[in-house]
């Protein structure tokens, strides 16, 4: 995405976590700067708040444990603000030449929060006192035979109180780390407003995965196929051209979050920049959803067909869904490949060599395994499609049992009852219909082929 933006005149910035192995000698070292970025501030390795190394435009920069100099979220905030300040000239918001003199920019900031080790800034250390992880019906409920083996592993039974206290502590720590992110976003908004560019800037805030905290007596992690782990927040602050008008007084518009998946972000950003979206990108632009939601109902228009004459870049190109001919996304695919690493197993936790993330502080409950590998089909309750009354999850595990889990989320939002489980045989039964859809989705490539995948051979679109 950054290469497309940069080649079309955008100044581009990346700051923060990139990949777990980024900056290591075997992956090119700190000298390697991915293409497409005018300014690069990449974290070496996985998330840290102190005592880390950055690659700053290919040069090593080591940091210690001084909050004022080294707290990573704040370091990234300063870098991003400096980048924006250098790209956007000082103009009064009312100046007609402010937009014309500004070089378009793209800044992607990936702070460590709220990733482990969950280290908040000192000024927030006492925030959220007494807060606890949500006590949903699935909280600290040890599953029966209708859940896959990783959840049924020893030690069995509910988590003891001391581990629940640890889960609640992590819950609070995660929230505390996000207060620094709030500050960073606020400072960026203030700078854009002072520069007269806030009304011409899209701001997108999201994450890369969800997180379970005590559900099904699994302490803390992100590698399960349930709603806690697969759902992520997405907040879009629209440029003023697309903000609500006096006729549409609601300033906070909620769009069905299940309609959006991570692969849509790159096409959406290119659309915001007014650039064509490559056909081999699997996702679609979300701007038709956003723009239609922000437009008074009497003025709704088919955004995906419109080519506006307004001189904002996001109006010049649009590859969204034609809302007059077919519905928004009906299915999407979830895939995960399990991992095993004995380096992430505490010595006190004697477990199968195929498991990992077995920590004594959390009762030696392993959070991942080599065959915790699955592919799932999430079916959406989307108005206007043949599955409008369905809201479900169907998962196939690549383990010795070929385990299957299936949930009707209308009736079972906490995923307590596996519809694929048969008590008579203590086994699970696969669905041919869902299995075929998974095969079709696994093979498709690009928006044209993937968006309209179905289980009907006559309607199926092949790559």
């Amino acid at each position: 995405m950054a290469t497309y933006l940069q080649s079309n005149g955008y100044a581009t910035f990346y700051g923060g976590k990139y990949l777990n192995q980024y900056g290591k000698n075997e992956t090119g070292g700190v000298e390697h700067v991915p293409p497409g970025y005018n300014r690069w501030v990449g974290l070496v390795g996985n998330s840290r708040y102190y005592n880390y190394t950055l690659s700053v435009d290919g040069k090593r920069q080591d940091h210690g444990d001084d909050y004022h100099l080294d707290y990573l979220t704040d370091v990234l905030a300063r870098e991003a603000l400096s980048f924006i300040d250098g790209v956007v000239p000082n103009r009064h918001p009312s100046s007609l030449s402010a937009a014309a003199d500004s070089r378009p920019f793209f800044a992607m900031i990936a702070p460590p929060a709220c990733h482990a080790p969950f280290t908040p800034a000192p000024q927030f250390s006492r925030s959220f006192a007494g807060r606890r992880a949500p006590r949903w019906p699935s909280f600290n409920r040890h599953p029966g035979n209708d859940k896959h083996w990783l959840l049924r592993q020893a030690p069995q039974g509910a988590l003891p109180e001391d581990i629940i206290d640890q889960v609640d502590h992590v819950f609070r720590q995660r929230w505390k780390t996000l207060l620094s992110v709030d500050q960073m976003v606020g400072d960026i908004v203030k700078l854009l407003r002072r520069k007269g560019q806030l009304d011409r800037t899209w701001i997108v805030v999201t994450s890369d995965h969800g997180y379970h905290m005590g559900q099904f007596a699994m302490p803390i992690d992100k590698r399960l196929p349930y709603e806690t782990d697969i759902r992520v927040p997405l907040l879009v602050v629209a440029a003023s051209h697309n903000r609500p008008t006096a006729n549409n007084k609601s300033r906070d518009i909620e769009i069905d979050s299940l309609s959006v998946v991570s692969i849509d972000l790159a096409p959406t950003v290119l659309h915001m920049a007014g650039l064509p979206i490559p056909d081999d990108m699997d996702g679609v632009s979300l701007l038709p959803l956003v723009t239609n939601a922000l437009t008074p109902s009497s003025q709704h228009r088919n955004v995906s067909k419109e080519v506006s004459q307004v001189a904002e870049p996001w109006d010049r190109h649009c590859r969204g869904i034609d809302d007059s001919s077919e519905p928004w996304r009906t299915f999407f695919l979830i895939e995960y490949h399990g991992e095993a690493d004995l380096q992430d197993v505490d010595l006190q936790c004697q477990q199968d060599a195929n498991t990992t993330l077995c920590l004594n502080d959390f009762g030696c409950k392993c959070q991942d395994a080599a065959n915790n590998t699955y592919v799932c089909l999430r079916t959406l309750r989307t108005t206007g499609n043949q599955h409008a009354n369905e809201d479900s999850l169907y998962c196939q595990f690549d383990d010795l049992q070929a385990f299957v889990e299936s949930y009707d989320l209308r009736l079972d939002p906490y995923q307590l009852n596996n519809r694929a489980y048969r008590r008579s045989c203590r086994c699970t039964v696969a669905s041919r219909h869902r299995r075929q859809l998974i095969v079709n989705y696994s093979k498709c490539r690009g928006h044209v082929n993937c968006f309209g995948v179905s289980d009907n051979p006559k309607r199926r679109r092949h790559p």
Side-chain angles (χ1 to χ4, degrees):
M1 179 176 64
T3 56
Y4 289 103
L5 293 168
Q6 188 185 57
S7 63
N8 282 275
Y10 272 71
T12 54
F13 169 89
Y14 189 96
K17 163 121 178 241
Y18 184 58
L19 296 170
N20 285 352
Q21 300 304 315
Y22 173 74
K24 305 296 179 64
N25 290 334
E26 55 270 30
T27 57
V30 296
E31 296 80 13
H32 170 64
V33 175
Y37 293 102
N38 298 96
R39 178 65 170 172
W40 174 260
V41 185
L43 175 66
V44 174
N46 209 340
S47 295
R48 304 284 292 273
Y49 296 80
Y50 295 108
N51 301 307
Y52 55 84
T53 298
L54 296 175
S55 168
V56 179
D57 294 333
K59 296 181 179 180
R60 183 185 184 95
Q61 184 181 97
D62 294 318
H63 282 262
D65 57 5
D66 184 325
Y67 166 70
H68 299 285
L69 299 175
D70 304 311
Y71 190 70
L72 181 53
T73 303
D74 293 355
V75 169
L76 296 176
R78 291 192 290 269
E79 287 282 355
L81 290 167
S82 175
F83 169 79
I84 296 170
D85 195 36
V87 170
V88 181
N90 286 310
R91 296 286 183 181
H92 189 274
S94 62
S95 173
L96 294 177
S97 62
D101 292 346
S102 296
R103 182 182 179 185
F105 73 91
F106 168 78
M108 183 170 180
I109 312 163
C114 52
H115 197 284
F118 320 118
T119 308
Q123 67 269 32
F124 301 130
S125 61
R126 297 187 179 182
S127 301
F128 306 120
R131 290 280 186 173
R132 305 190 308 169
R135 268 35 176 190
W136 297 338
S138 57
F139 183 83
N140 205 20
R141 170 177 170 151
H142 192 272
N145 292 327
D146 65 336
K147 291 289 191 293
H148 65 286
W149 76 270
L150 186 63
L151 271 68
R152 304 193 310 263
Q153 66 178 309
Q156 297 184 354
L159 300 173
E161 284 300 317
D162 61 329
I163 295 179
I164 291 178
D165 290 343
Q166 283 277 62
V167 170
D168 288 334
H169 174 70
V170 169
F171 179 80
R172 290 188 292 272
Q173 293 294 98
R174 284 164 55 84
W175 276 26
K176 294 173 188 178
T177 66
L178 289 173
L179 291 176
S180 295
V181 178
D182 286 348
Q183 278 192 340
M184 176 181 69
V185 174
D187 289 344
I188 291 173
V189 168
K190 291 176 184 177
L191 176 62
L192 291 170
R193 182 180 290 117
R194 179 170 63 83
K195 294 275 189 176
Q197 289 296 312
L198 182 60
D199 288 344
R200 291 177 50 82
T201 305
W202 292 85
I203 301 174
V204 180
V205 181
T206 188
S207 184
D208 57 345
H209 55 74
Y211 211 68
H212 63 259
M213 306 201 71
Q215 286 75 30
F216 302 115
M218 297 291 276
I220 59 169
D221 201 53
K222 58 188 178 183
R223 294 166 172 84
L224 300 178
Y226 309 118
E227 293 290 279
T228 51
D229 294 36
I230 68 172
R231 295 187 65 143
V232 296
L234 174 65
L235 173 68
V236 178
V237 180
S240 63
H241 175 66
N242 289 281
R243 289 181 189 162
T245 63
N247 295 326
N248 185 7
K249 296 181 180 180
S250 175
R251 298 197 63 82
D252 297 322
I253 307 297
E254 183 174 346
I255 299 173
D256 183 0
S257 59
L258 287 176
S259 298
V260 177
V261 292
S262 296
I263 56 174
D264 297 329
L265 295 179
T268 300
V269 170
L270 293 180
H271 186 171
M272 290 173 176
L275 301 178
I277 301 170
D279 289 337
D280 59 356
M281 283 189 174
D282 290 344
V284 294
S285 171
L286 306 178
L287 288 204
L289 287 181
V290 175
T291 310
N292 277 348
L294 295 177
T295 304
S297 57
S298 61
Q299 301 176 24
H300 270 196
R301 62 194 185 278
N302 184 350
V303 180
S304 57
K305 294 285 185 153
E306 180 180 277
V307 178
S308 173
Q309 300 303 311
V310 180
E312 302 290 2
W314 49 82
D315 287 315
R316 294 199 296 269
H317 295 276
C318 182
R319 192 200 72 186
I321 292 302
D322 180 352
D323 53 15
S324 67
S325 63
E326 63 177 304
W328 192 251
R329 179 181 286 108
T330 303
F331 305 101
F332 66 84
L333 201 65
I334 304 164
E335 296 178 285
Y336 178 68
H337 295 271
E339 300 175 320
D341 187 350
L342 291 178
Q343 292 183 354
D344 290 326
V345 178
D346 286 348
L347 294 177
Q348 304 94 321
C349 302
Q350 298 297 323
Q351 296 290 346
D352 188 305
N354 289 318
T355 57
T356 191
L357 295 173
C358 314
L359 305 179
N360 189 51
D361 286 346
F362 292 99
C364 293
K365 192 78 170 182
C366 300
Q367 297 298 298
D368 201 6
N371 64 348
N372 180 38
T373 295
Y374 52 81
V375 58
C376 303
L377 190 73
R378 186 69 170 83
T379 304
L380 309 174
R381 184 168 53 195
T382 307
T383 303
N385 66 62
Q386 60 179 333
H387 300 277
N389 295 321
E390 185 170 351
D391 191 359
S392 66
L393 178 76
Y394 176 86
C395 297
Q396 296 179 174
F397 288 81
D398 186 15
D399 56 23
L400 295 177
Q401 296 176 308
F403 207 81
V404 176
E405 294 191 27
S406 177
Y407 301 96
D408 183 343
L409 296 174
R410 298 170 304 165
L411 306 175
D412 183 20
Y414 300 105
Q415 297 164 289
L416 304 178
N417 302 303
N418 180 7
R419 296 186 300 173
Y421 182 71
R422 301 292 182 266
R423 296 185 183 277
S424 58
C425 62
R426 293 188 177 182
C427 64
T428 56
V429 178
S431 163
R432 288 184 60 188
H433 171 72
R434 303 292 173 183
R435 182 185 295 171
Q436 186 60 57
L437 279 170
I438 285 175
V439 170
N440 295 345
Y441 264 98
S442 298
K443 292 181 178 180
C444 74
R445 179 182 179 186
H447 159 73
V448 174
N449 292 297
C450 290
F451 203 92
V453 165
S454 89
D455 57 325
N456 184 341
K458 294 182 179 180
R459 295 187 60 214
R460 195 175 306 151
R461 301 171 183 173
H462 294 282

